Amino acid sequence: MVKIGNIELPDFPLLLAPMEDVSDPPFRRLCKQHGADLMFSEFISSEGLIRDAIKSRQKLDIFDYERPVGIQIFGGDEEAMAMSARIVDAVNPDLIDINFGCPVKKVVCKGAGAAVLKDVDLMVRLTKAVIKSTSLPVTVKTRLGWDHDMINIDEVAERLQDIGVQALSIHGRTRAQLYKGEADWSHIARVKNNPRITIPIFGNGDVDSPEKALEYKDKYGVDGIMIGRAAIGYPWIFDEVKHYMKTGEHLPKPSVSDRVEAARNHLKWSMEWKGERLGIVEMRRHYTNYFKGIANFKEFRTKLVTLDFPEELFGVLDEIIDSYSGYQFA
């Protein structure tokens, strides 16, 4: 069993990574149904929460069927992080996660996300401000360092543990790499094998198959794996990894009907949560991933990303099942 504060997770838990414009409640609900053990909100700007920005506040929505679930915040100002932690505390997630890993320019330019890796003293102050402002367990997601010449994850891990961080998720790339090249898990393994480190260490980066999940578990000795991009349009990855680790065998690939059902639920839940119009529009980015690999699909994809009414979209999804009955994936 893996423990984060008073949260009990199964042996070798699988975590859904917080992803901007992806890890919202409808998507998290699908991943929970398919085996995710711990999930996180999209990352939320501490400044946005304090300003009462509608989009930031909406990201605080969590539901009991998701638990355990964490809310992730980011920022570069101690007072703002403390205030936002108190706001998050009031909606009662299971934990608060701090993002010190986001590499995108608009976040880094504000001195937040991965930018904080250049100033570990600031990282410690920001984290202390959050810990002092909440009764919830506080965890951190970060990267190896700013660039190849500044890989400082060993110092980061020790100092964060020393001030009370209760788990650490490490993406095996530097900020300079963005999402290019291969994630280097050897640095994550070194943190895990540091005798001073007693908190759970979760690895993240490039896990996109059951085989790779098992290989990384055995090779690097982490306490669990965080999966991000491989789950987009494919929430079955969690069930597949668990089944393979338990049996050494593969689950059957989700059929066209399985994919339609997931897309239909995702669309329905998005409309319920965001409102009909926004739910339909924001769902458009997901269809390509749900139906990836299906031959001669362009006509259906075009309809899914252009039609504007729920009954039309659900009709297209029914057509897909009829047209691809018995379809075998390569």
Side-chain angles (χ1 to χ4, degrees):
M1 181 189 298
V2 175
K3 290 195 74 172
I4 302 174
N6 58 359
I7 303 167
E8 295 183 353
L9 299 172
D11 270 347
F12 207 77
L14 302 180
L15 287 61
L16 172 65
M19 294 178 283
E20 177 71 353
D21 293 328
V22 176
S23 302
D24 58 14
F27 181 70
R28 296 199 304 263
R29 187 171 178 179
L30 279 164
C31 291
K32 184 71 174 182
Q33 286 183 348
H34 290 287
D37 295 305
L38 175 63
M39 303 182 295
F40 299 86
S41 67
E42 301 172 76
F43 71 167
I44 305 173
S45 162
S46 56
E47 305 279 357
L49 272 183
I50 293 164
R51 288 197 313 270
D52 208 23
I54 292 171
K55 189 172 183 184
S56 293
R57 290 279 175 156
Q58 189 182 31
K59 290 179 183 177
L60 291 176
D61 285 354
I62 54 174
F63 301 91
D64 282 341
Y65 56 73
E66 304 182 82
R67 294 186 184 277
V69 62
I71 287 179
Q72 189 186 73
I73 57 175
F74 73 95
D77 177 81
E78 292 170 59
E79 188 177 349
M81 289 291 277
M83 289 177 66
S84 63
R86 286 191 284 271
I87 294 168
V88 170
D89 201 76
V91 304
N92 195 32
D94 296 284
L95 61 84
I96 296 179
D97 191 70
I98 306 173
N99 183 309
F100 291 136
C102 179
V104 301
K105 192 172 181 181
K106 68 177 181 179
V107 172
V108 169
C109 285
K110 293 177 181 175
V116 185
L117 282 161
K118 292 191 288 186
D119 187 345
V120 182
D121 289 339
L122 173 61
M123 181 186 289
V124 168
R125 293 197 304 273
L126 292 168
T127 306
K128 274 185 177 176
V130 172
I131 290 171
K132 288 178 181 176
S133 300
T134 180
S135 58
L136 297 166
V138 174
T139 62
V140 165
K141 183 171 191 284
T142 188
R143 288 185 169 229
L144 303 178
W146 178 253
D147 58 25
H148 182 72
D149 298 320
M150 195 191 286
I151 291 177
N152 54 357
I153 189 60
D154 304 85
E155 178 191 359
V156 164
E158 289 190 2
R159 293 185 66 183
L160 291 179
Q161 177 179 272
D162 288 348
I163 61 170
V165 164
Q166 299 198 31
L168 187 62
S169 300
I170 305 170
H171 183 103
R173 290 182 174 85
T174 64
R175 187 273 164 174
Q177 285 181 273
L178 300 176
Y179 293 97
K180 297 170 186 170
E182 282 189 23
D184 185 349
W185 282 54
S186 65
H187 299 285
I188 306 174
R190 193 175 60 250
V191 172
K192 174 59 193 170
N193 293 322
N194 178 347
R196 275 204 63 210
I197 297 297
T198 57
I199 59 174
I201 301 297
F202 303 118
N204 175 229
D206 294 349
V207 175
D208 56 6
S209 69
E211 293 92 340
K212 193 175 281 187
L214 181 59
E215 177 194 347
Y216 282 23
K217 173 182 185 282
D218 292 342
K219 186 174 181 180
Y220 300 110
V222 291
D223 294 291
I225 285 176
M226 178 178 276
I227 296 174
R229 288 175 290 170
I232 299 175
Y234 202 84
W236 303 274
I237 185 75
F238 299 100
D239 280 334
E240 289 181 359
V241 168
K242 287 183 173 181
H243 185 79
Y244 186 76
M245 285 185 173
K246 192 174 181 180
T247 68
E249 298 174 355
H250 289 279
L251 284 173
K253 286 293 180 187
S255 65
V256 173
S257 293
D258 294 330
R259 292 163 192 257
V260 166
E261 181 186 12
R264 191 195 313 274
N265 284 333
H266 199 162
L267 173 60
K268 182 175 73 174
W269 297 335
S270 291
M271 291 191 297
E272 288 171 358
W273 183 60
K274 301 175 183 179
E276 183 177 295
R277 179 62 188 161
L278 190 60
I280 287 171
V281 171
E282 293 197 351
M283 184 62 196
R284 288 172 177 168
R285 66 170 73 100
H286 292 283
Y287 293 120
T288 296
N289 291 301
Y290 278 119
F291 300 110
K292 189 183 294 180
I294 298 179
N296 305 312
F297 195 75
K298 184 177 180 181
E299 179 186 343
F300 290 112
R301 185 169 59 246
T302 300
K303 289 180 181 178
L304 289 170
V305 300
T306 55
L307 293 174
D308 286 324
F309 297 101
E311 57 274 17
E312 295 176 322
L313 289 163
F314 290 130
V316 173
L317 292 171
D318 289 337
E319 283 180 50
I320 292 168
I321 291 178
D322 292 339
S323 297
Y324 290 92
S325 176
Y327 183 84
Q328 296 295 313
F329 286 89

Short mmCIF file of all heavy atoms in Angstrom, two decimals, residues 276-325:
data_model
loop_
_atom_site.label_atom_id
_atom_site.label_comp_id
_atom_site.label_asym_id
_atom_site.label_seq_id
_atom_site.Cartn_x
_atom_site.Cartn_y
_atom_site.Cartn_z
N GLU A 276 -24.37 23.09 -22.88
CA GLU A 276 -24.45 22.37 -24.16
C GLU A 276 -23.45 22.88 -25.18
O GLU A 276 -22.69 22.13 -25.77
CB GLU A 276 -25.88 22.45 -24.71
CG GLU A 276 -26.06 21.67 -25.99
CD GLU A 276 -27.50 21.70 -26.50
OE1 GLU A 276 -28.38 21.16 -25.80
OE2 GLU A 276 -27.73 22.28 -27.58
N ARG A 277 -23.45 24.19 -25.44
CA ARG A 277 -22.62 24.73 -26.52
C ARG A 277 -21.13 24.53 -26.25
O ARG A 277 -20.40 24.01 -27.10
CB ARG A 277 -22.92 26.23 -26.70
CG ARG A 277 -22.09 26.91 -27.78
CD ARG A 277 -22.36 26.30 -29.14
NE ARG A 277 -21.45 26.81 -30.16
CZ ARG A 277 -21.20 26.21 -31.31
NH1 ARG A 277 -21.80 25.07 -31.61
NH2 ARG A 277 -20.37 26.74 -32.18
N LEU A 278 -20.68 24.92 -25.08
CA LEU A 278 -19.26 24.80 -24.76
C LEU A 278 -18.85 23.33 -24.70
O LEU A 278 -17.76 22.96 -25.15
CB LEU A 278 -18.95 25.50 -23.44
CG LEU A 278 -17.47 25.68 -23.10
CD1 LEU A 278 -16.76 26.49 -24.18
CD2 LEU A 278 -17.30 26.35 -21.74
N GLY A 279 -19.72 22.49 -24.16
CA GLY A 279 -19.42 21.07 -24.09
C GLY A 279 -19.20 20.47 -25.46
O GLY A 279 -18.27 19.67 -25.67
N ILE A 280 -20.04 20.87 -26.43
CA ILE A 280 -19.90 20.36 -27.81
C ILE A 280 -18.61 20.85 -28.45
O ILE A 280 -17.85 20.08 -29.05
CB ILE A 280 -21.13 20.79 -28.66
CG1 ILE A 280 -22.35 19.95 -28.24
CG2 ILE A 280 -20.84 20.63 -30.15
CD1 ILE A 280 -23.65 20.43 -28.85
N VAL A 281 -18.33 22.14 -28.30
CA VAL A 281 -17.15 22.73 -28.96
C VAL A 281 -15.85 22.17 -28.37
O VAL A 281 -14.93 21.78 -29.10
CB VAL A 281 -17.18 24.26 -28.83
CG1 VAL A 281 -15.86 24.87 -29.29
CG2 VAL A 281 -18.33 24.84 -29.65
N GLU A 282 -15.79 22.08 -27.05
CA GLU A 282 -14.54 21.64 -26.42
C GLU A 282 -14.33 20.13 -26.57
O GLU A 282 -13.20 19.65 -26.42
CB GLU A 282 -14.49 22.07 -24.96
CG GLU A 282 -14.41 23.59 -24.83
CD GLU A 282 -13.94 24.05 -23.46
OE1 GLU A 282 -13.85 23.21 -22.54
OE2 GLU A 282 -13.68 25.26 -23.31
N MET A 283 -15.38 19.41 -26.86
CA MET A 283 -15.24 17.96 -27.09
C MET A 283 -14.57 17.68 -28.44
O MET A 283 -14.01 16.59 -28.64
CB MET A 283 -16.64 17.32 -27.02
CG MET A 283 -16.67 15.82 -27.14
SD MET A 283 -15.78 14.99 -25.80
CE MET A 283 -15.62 13.37 -26.53
N ARG A 284 -14.61 18.63 -29.35
CA ARG A 284 -14.12 18.38 -30.72
C ARG A 284 -12.65 17.95 -30.75
O ARG A 284 -12.24 17.19 -31.63
CB ARG A 284 -14.34 19.62 -31.58
CG ARG A 284 -15.80 19.84 -31.90
CD ARG A 284 -16.05 21.17 -32.60
NE ARG A 284 -17.46 21.30 -32.95
CZ ARG A 284 -18.03 22.44 -33.35
NH1 ARG A 284 -17.30 23.54 -33.44
NH2 ARG A 284 -19.31 22.46 -33.66
N ARG A 285 -11.86 18.44 -29.80
CA ARG A 285 -10.43 18.10 -29.80
C ARG A 285 -10.18 16.64 -29.45
O ARG A 285 -9.08 16.13 -29.65
CB ARG A 285 -9.67 19.00 -28.82
CG ARG A 285 -10.03 18.79 -27.37
CD ARG A 285 -9.06 19.53 -26.44
NE ARG A 285 -9.31 20.96 -26.47
CZ ARG A 285 -10.00 21.62 -25.54
NH1 ARG A 285 -10.53 20.96 -24.53
NH2 ARG A 285 -10.19 22.92 -25.62
N HIS A 286 -11.20 15.95 -28.90
CA HIS A 286 -10.98 14.59 -28.41
C HIS A 286 -11.31 13.49 -29.43
O HIS A 286 -10.83 12.37 -29.30
CB HIS A 286 -11.83 14.35 -27.16
CG HIS A 286 -11.38 15.15 -25.97
ND1 HIS A 286 -10.27 14.82 -25.22
CD2 HIS A 286 -11.90 16.27 -25.41
CE1 HIS A 286 -10.12 15.70 -24.24
NE2 HIS A 286 -11.10 16.58 -24.33
N TYR A 287 -12.15 13.77 -30.42
CA TYR A 287 -12.63 12.69 -31.29
C TYR A 287 -11.51 11.98 -32.04
O TYR A 287 -11.52 10.75 -32.18
CB TYR A 287 -13.66 13.23 -32.29
CG TYR A 287 -14.94 13.69 -31.64
CD1 TYR A 287 -15.37 15.01 -31.75
CD2 TYR A 287 -15.74 12.81 -30.89
CE1 TYR A 287 -16.55 15.45 -31.16
CE2 TYR A 287 -16.91 13.24 -30.29
CZ TYR A 287 -17.31 14.57 -30.43
OH TYR A 287 -18.46 15.00 -29.82
N THR A 288 -10.54 12.74 -32.54
CA THR A 288 -9.44 12.12 -33.28
C THR A 288 -8.75 11.07 -32.44
O THR A 288 -8.39 9.98 -32.93
CB THR A 288 -8.42 13.19 -33.73
OG1 THR A 288 -9.07 14.09 -34.64
CG2 THR A 288 -7.23 12.55 -34.44
N ASN A 289 -8.56 11.35 -31.16
CA ASN A 289 -7.88 10.40 -30.29
C ASN A 289 -8.73 9.16 -30.00
O ASN A 289 -8.21 8.05 -29.97
CB ASN A 289 -7.49 11.08 -28.97
CG ASN A 289 -6.41 12.12 -29.18
OD1 ASN A 289 -5.32 11.80 -29.65
ND2 ASN A 289 -6.70 13.37 -28.86
N TYR A 290 -10.04 9.34 -29.82
CA TYR A 290 -10.89 8.18 -29.55
C TYR A 290 -10.91 7.22 -30.74
O TYR A 290 -11.00 6.01 -30.55
CB TYR A 290 -12.32 8.62 -29.23
CG TYR A 290 -12.49 9.03 -27.78
CD1 TYR A 290 -12.88 10.33 -27.45
CD2 TYR A 290 -12.25 8.14 -26.75
CE1 TYR A 290 -13.02 10.72 -26.12
CE2 TYR A 290 -12.39 8.51 -25.42
CZ TYR A 290 -12.78 9.80 -25.12
OH TYR A 290 -12.90 10.17 -23.81
N PHE A 291 -10.84 7.77 -31.95
CA PHE A 291 -11.01 6.91 -33.14
C PHE A 291 -9.74 6.78 -33.95
O PHE A 291 -9.77 6.44 -35.13
CB PHE A 291 -12.16 7.47 -33.99
CG PHE A 291 -13.47 7.50 -33.23
CD1 PHE A 291 -14.05 8.70 -32.84
CD2 PHE A 291 -14.09 6.31 -32.85
CE1 PHE A 291 -15.24 8.72 -32.11
CE2 PHE A 291 -15.28 6.32 -32.13
CZ PHE A 291 -15.85 7.53 -31.76
N LYS A 292 -8.61 7.00 -33.29
CA LYS A 292 -7.30 6.88 -33.95
C LYS A 292 -7.12 5.45 -34.47
O LYS A 292 -7.44 4.47 -33.78
CB LYS A 292 -6.20 7.21 -32.94
CG LYS A 292 -4.80 7.32 -33.54
CD LYS A 292 -3.77 7.57 -32.45
CE LYS A 292 -3.99 8.92 -31.79
NZ LYS A 292 -2.97 9.16 -30.72
N GLY A 293 -6.61 5.33 -35.68
CA GLY A 293 -6.29 4.01 -36.22
C GLY A 293 -7.41 3.37 -37.01
O GLY A 293 -7.22 2.29 -37.58
N ILE A 294 -8.60 3.99 -37.05
CA ILE A 294 -9.71 3.42 -37.82
C ILE A 294 -9.60 3.90 -39.27
O ILE A 294 -9.50 5.10 -39.54
CB ILE A 294 -11.07 3.84 -37.23
CG1 ILE A 294 -11.20 3.31 -35.80
CG2 ILE A 294 -12.21 3.31 -38.09
CD1 ILE A 294 -12.51 3.68 -35.12
N ALA A 295 -9.60 2.96 -40.18
CA ALA A 295 -9.40 3.30 -41.59
C ALA A 295 -10.62 4.03 -42.16
O ALA A 295 -11.76 3.80 -41.76
CB ALA A 295 -9.15 2.01 -42.38
N ASN A 296 -10.37 4.93 -43.11
CA ASN A 296 -11.41 5.64 -43.86
C ASN A 296 -12.42 6.34 -42.94
O ASN A 296 -13.63 6.25 -43.13
CB ASN A 296 -12.15 4.65 -44.79
CG ASN A 296 -11.19 3.91 -45.70
OD1 ASN A 296 -10.34 4.52 -46.33
ND2 ASN A 296 -11.32 2.59 -45.75
N PHE A 297 -11.88 7.05 -41.95
CA PHE A 297 -12.74 7.65 -40.93
C PHE A 297 -12.99 9.14 -41.16
O PHE A 297 -13.75 9.78 -40.44
CB PHE A 297 -12.10 7.42 -39.54
CG PHE A 297 -13.04 7.67 -38.40
CD1 PHE A 297 -14.03 6.74 -38.08
CD2 PHE A 297 -12.95 8.83 -37.64
CE1 PHE A 297 -14.91 6.97 -37.03
CE2 PHE A 297 -13.82 9.07 -36.59
CZ PHE A 297 -14.80 8.14 -36.28
N LYS A 298 -12.38 9.71 -42.18
CA LYS A 298 -12.38 11.16 -42.35
C LYS A 298 -13.78 11.76 -42.39
O LYS A 298 -14.06 12.81 -41.78
CB LYS A 298 -11.61 11.53 -43.62
CG LYS A 298 -11.47 13.04 -43.82
CD LYS A 298 -10.64 13.35 -45.05
CE LYS A 298 -10.51 14.86 -45.22
NZ LYS A 298 -9.72 15.20 -46.44
N GLU A 299 -14.71 11.11 -43.09
CA GLU A 299 -16.07 11.65 -43.23
C GLU A 299 -16.75 11.76 -41.86
O GLU A 299 -17.39 12.78 -41.56
CB GLU A 299 -16.89 10.73 -44.15
CG GLU A 299 -18.33 11.20 -44.34
CD GLU A 299 -19.17 10.20 -45.12
OE1 GLU A 299 -18.59 9.31 -45.78
OE2 GLU A 299 -20.41 10.31 -45.04
N PHE A 300 -16.59 10.75 -41.03
CA PHE A 300 -17.20 10.80 -39.71
C PHE A 300 -16.53 11.85 -38.83
O PHE A 300 -17.19 12.57 -38.08
CB PHE A 300 -17.11 9.42 -39.03
CG PHE A 300 -18.00 8.39 -39.67
CD1 PHE A 300 -17.47 7.32 -40.36
CD2 PHE A 300 -19.39 8.50 -39.57
CE1 PHE A 300 -18.29 6.37 -40.94
CE2 PHE A 300 -20.22 7.55 -40.15
CZ PHE A 300 -19.68 6.48 -40.83
N ARG A 301 -15.21 11.93 -38.92
CA ARG A 301 -14.48 12.92 -38.11
C ARG A 301 -14.92 14.33 -38.48
O ARG A 301 -15.13 15.18 -37.60
CB ARG A 301 -12.96 12.76 -38.30
CG ARG A 301 -12.16 13.69 -37.38
CD ARG A 301 -10.69 13.33 -37.37
NE ARG A 301 -10.10 13.40 -38.70
CZ ARG A 301 -9.62 12.36 -39.37
NH1 ARG A 301 -9.67 11.15 -38.83
NH2 ARG A 301 -9.11 12.50 -40.57
N THR A 302 -15.10 14.58 -39.77
CA THR A 302 -15.54 15.91 -40.21
C THR A 302 -16.90 16.26 -39.62
O THR A 302 -17.13 17.38 -39.15
CB THR A 302 -15.61 15.96 -41.75
OG1 THR A 302 -14.29 15.69 -42.28
CG2 THR A 302 -16.07 17.32 -42.23
N LYS A 303 -17.80 15.29 -39.61
CA LYS A 303 -19.12 15.55 -39.02
C LYS A 303 -19.01 15.84 -37.53
O LYS A 303 -19.66 16.75 -37.00
CB LYS A 303 -20.04 14.33 -39.24
CG LYS A 303 -20.50 14.13 -40.67
CD LYS A 303 -21.40 12.89 -40.76
CE LYS A 303 -21.87 12.64 -42.17
NZ LYS A 303 -22.70 11.39 -42.25
N LEU A 304 -18.21 15.05 -36.84
CA LEU A 304 -18.11 15.19 -35.38
C LEU A 304 -17.56 16.56 -34.98
O LEU A 304 -17.92 17.10 -33.94
CB LEU A 304 -17.22 14.09 -34.80
CG LEU A 304 -17.82 12.68 -34.81
CD1 LEU A 304 -16.76 11.64 -34.45
CD2 LEU A 304 -19.00 12.57 -33.84
N VAL A 305 -16.68 17.14 -35.81
CA VAL A 305 -16.07 18.41 -35.43
C VAL A 305 -16.78 19.62 -36.05
O VAL A 305 -16.35 20.76 -35.85
CB VAL A 305 -14.57 18.46 -35.77
CG1 VAL A 305 -13.83 17.35 -35.04
CG2 VAL A 305 -14.32 18.38 -37.27
N THR A 306 -17.87 19.38 -36.78
CA THR A 306 -18.59 20.52 -37.38
C THR A 306 -20.05 20.61 -36.97
O THR A 306 -20.63 21.70 -36.97
CB THR A 306 -18.51 20.46 -38.92
OG1 THR A 306 -18.99 19.19 -39.38
CG2 THR A 306 -17.09 20.67 -39.40
N LEU A 307 -20.67 19.49 -36.63
CA LEU A 307 -22.08 19.53 -36.26
C LEU A 307 -22.28 20.22 -34.91
O LEU A 307 -21.41 20.15 -34.03
CB LEU A 307 -22.66 18.12 -36.22
CG LEU A 307 -22.74 17.41 -37.58
CD1 LEU A 307 -23.19 15.97 -37.41
CD2 LEU A 307 -23.68 18.16 -38.53
N ASP A 308 -23.42 20.88 -34.74
CA ASP A 308 -23.63 21.76 -33.59
C ASP A 308 -24.71 21.32 -32.62
O ASP A 308 -24.92 22.00 -31.61
CB ASP A 308 -23.99 23.17 -34.09
CG ASP A 308 -22.79 23.91 -34.66
OD1 ASP A 308 -21.68 23.73 -34.11
OD2 ASP A 308 -22.96 24.66 -35.64
N PHE A 309 -25.40 20.22 -32.89
CA PHE A 309 -26.52 19.84 -32.03
C PHE A 309 -26.32 18.43 -31.49
O PHE A 309 -25.87 17.53 -32.22
CB PHE A 309 -27.84 19.93 -32.81
CG PHE A 309 -28.14 21.33 -33.26
CD1 PHE A 309 -27.91 21.71 -34.58
CD2 PHE A 309 -28.64 22.28 -32.38
CE1 PHE A 309 -28.17 23.01 -35.01
CE2 PHE A 309 -28.91 23.57 -32.80
CZ PHE A 309 -28.67 23.94 -34.10
N PRO A 310 -26.68 18.22 -30.22
CA PRO A 310 -26.42 16.92 -29.59
C PRO A 310 -27.04 15.75 -30.34
O PRO A 310 -26.38 14.72 -30.54
CB PRO A 310 -27.06 17.07 -28.20
CG PRO A 310 -27.12 18.53 -27.95
CD PRO A 310 -27.27 19.18 -29.28
N GLU A 311 -28.29 15.91 -30.80
CA GLU A 311 -28.95 14.78 -31.46
C GLU A 311 -28.22 14.40 -32.75
O GLU A 311 -28.15 13.21 -33.11
CB GLU A 311 -30.43 15.08 -31.74
CG GLU A 311 -30.72 16.31 -32.58
CD GLU A 311 -30.81 17.59 -31.76
OE1 GLU A 311 -30.34 17.62 -30.61
OE2 GLU A 311 -31.35 18.58 -32.30
N GLU A 312 -27.65 15.39 -33.46
CA GLU A 312 -26.88 15.09 -34.67
C GLU A 312 -25.61 14.31 -34.32
O GLU A 312 -25.25 13.33 -34.99
CB GLU A 312 -26.50 16.39 -35.38
CG GLU A 312 -27.66 17.19 -35.92
CD GLU A 312 -27.22 18.52 -36.52
OE1 GLU A 312 -26.31 19.15 -35.95
OE2 GLU A 312 -27.80 18.92 -37.55
N LEU A 313 -24.93 14.76 -33.28
CA LEU A 313 -23.67 14.13 -32.89
C LEU A 313 -23.90 12.70 -32.39
O LEU A 313 -23.17 11.78 -32.77
CB LEU A 313 -22.99 14.97 -31.81
CG LEU A 313 -22.43 16.30 -32.32
CD1 LEU A 313 -22.15 17.24 -31.16
CD2 LEU A 313 -21.15 16.07 -33.13
N PHE A 314 -24.93 12.52 -31.58
CA PHE A 314 -25.23 11.16 -31.11
C PHE A 314 -25.63 10.26 -32.28
O PHE A 314 -25.32 9.07 -32.30
CB PHE A 314 -26.31 11.18 -30.04
CG PHE A 314 -25.86 11.78 -28.73
CD1 PHE A 314 -26.60 12.78 -28.10
CD2 PHE A 314 -24.68 11.36 -28.12
CE1 PHE A 314 -26.18 13.33 -26.89
CE2 PHE A 314 -24.26 11.90 -26.91
CZ PHE A 314 -25.01 12.89 -26.29
N GLY A 315 -26.29 10.85 -33.29
CA GLY A 315 -26.64 10.10 -34.50
C GLY A 315 -25.41 9.64 -35.26
O GLY A 315 -25.35 8.50 -35.75
N VAL A 316 -24.41 10.51 -35.37
CA VAL A 316 -23.16 10.15 -36.04
C VAL A 316 -22.46 9.02 -35.28
O VAL A 316 -21.94 8.07 -35.89
CB VAL A 316 -22.23 11.37 -36.17
CG1 VAL A 316 -20.86 10.95 -36.71
CG2 VAL A 316 -22.85 12.42 -37.09
N LEU A 317 -22.46 9.10 -33.98
CA LEU A 317 -21.84 8.04 -33.18
C LEU A 317 -22.54 6.70 -33.41
O LEU A 317 -21.88 5.65 -33.51
CB LEU A 317 -21.84 8.42 -31.70
CG LEU A 317 -20.92 9.60 -31.34
CD1 LEU A 317 -21.16 10.05 -29.90
CD2 LEU A 317 -19.44 9.25 -31.53
N ASP A 318 -23.87 6.72 -33.54
CA ASP A 318 -24.60 5.49 -33.86
C ASP A 318 -24.20 4.96 -35.25
O ASP A 318 -24.05 3.75 -35.45
CB ASP A 318 -26.11 5.73 -33.83
CG ASP A 318 -26.64 5.94 -32.41
OD1 ASP A 318 -25.97 5.48 -31.46
OD2 ASP A 318 -27.70 6.58 -32.26
N GLU A 319 -24.05 5.90 -36.20
CA GLU A 319 -23.64 5.51 -37.56
C GLU A 319 -22.27 4.82 -37.55
O GLU A 319 -22.03 3.88 -38.31
CB GLU A 319 -23.54 6.74 -38.45
CG GLU A 319 -24.86 7.31 -38.94
CD GLU A 319 -24.60 8.54 -39.82
OE1 GLU A 319 -23.75 8.46 -40.74
OE2 GLU A 319 -25.22 9.59 -39.56
N ILE A 320 -21.37 5.32 -36.71
CA ILE A 320 -20.02 4.74 -36.64
C ILE A 320 -20.09 3.28 -36.21
O ILE A 320 -19.42 2.41 -36.79
CB ILE A 320 -19.13 5.57 -35.67
CG1 ILE A 320 -18.87 6.96 -36.26
CG2 ILE A 320 -17.81 4.85 -35.40
CD1 ILE A 320 -18.25 7.95 -35.28
N ILE A 321 -20.93 2.99 -35.22
CA ILE A 321 -21.08 1.60 -34.78
C ILE A 321 -21.61 0.73 -35.92
O ILE A 321 -21.10 -0.37 -36.18
CB ILE A 321 -22.03 1.52 -33.56
CG1 ILE A 321 -21.37 2.16 -32.34
CG2 ILE A 321 -22.39 0.06 -33.26
CD1 ILE A 321 -22.25 2.18 -31.10
N ASP A 322 -22.61 1.24 -36.65
CA ASP A 322 -23.18 0.46 -37.76
C ASP A 322 -22.16 0.24 -38.87
O ASP A 322 -22.08 -0.85 -39.45
CB ASP A 322 -24.41 1.19 -38.33
CG ASP A 322 -25.58 1.21 -37.35
OD1 ASP A 322 -25.59 0.36 -36.44
OD2 ASP A 322 -26.45 2.08 -37.50
N SER A 323 -21.39 1.30 -39.18
CA SER A 323 -20.46 1.22 -40.30
C SER A 323 -19.25 0.35 -40.01
O SER A 323 -18.64 -0.21 -40.93
CB SER A 323 -19.99 2.63 -40.68
OG SER A 323 -21.07 3.42 -41.13
N TYR A 324 -18.87 0.24 -38.76
CA TYR A 324 -17.65 -0.49 -38.42
C TYR A 324 -17.93 -1.73 -37.56
O TYR A 324 -17.09 -2.16 -36.79
CB TYR A 324 -16.66 0.44 -37.70
CG TYR A 324 -16.07 1.50 -38.62
CD1 TYR A 324 -16.67 2.75 -38.72
CD2 TYR A 324 -14.95 1.24 -39.39
CE1 TYR A 324 -16.15 3.72 -39.56
CE2 TYR A 324 -14.42 2.20 -40.24
CZ TYR A 324 -15.03 3.45 -40.33
OH TYR A 324 -14.50 4.39 -41.16
N SER A 325 -19.11 -2.28 -37.72
CA SER A 325 -19.45 -3.50 -36.99
C SER A 325 -18.44 -4.60 -37.30
O SER A 325 -18.17 -4.90 -38.47
CB SER A 325 -20.86 -3.96 -37.39
OG SER A 325 -21.17 -5.17 -36.78
#
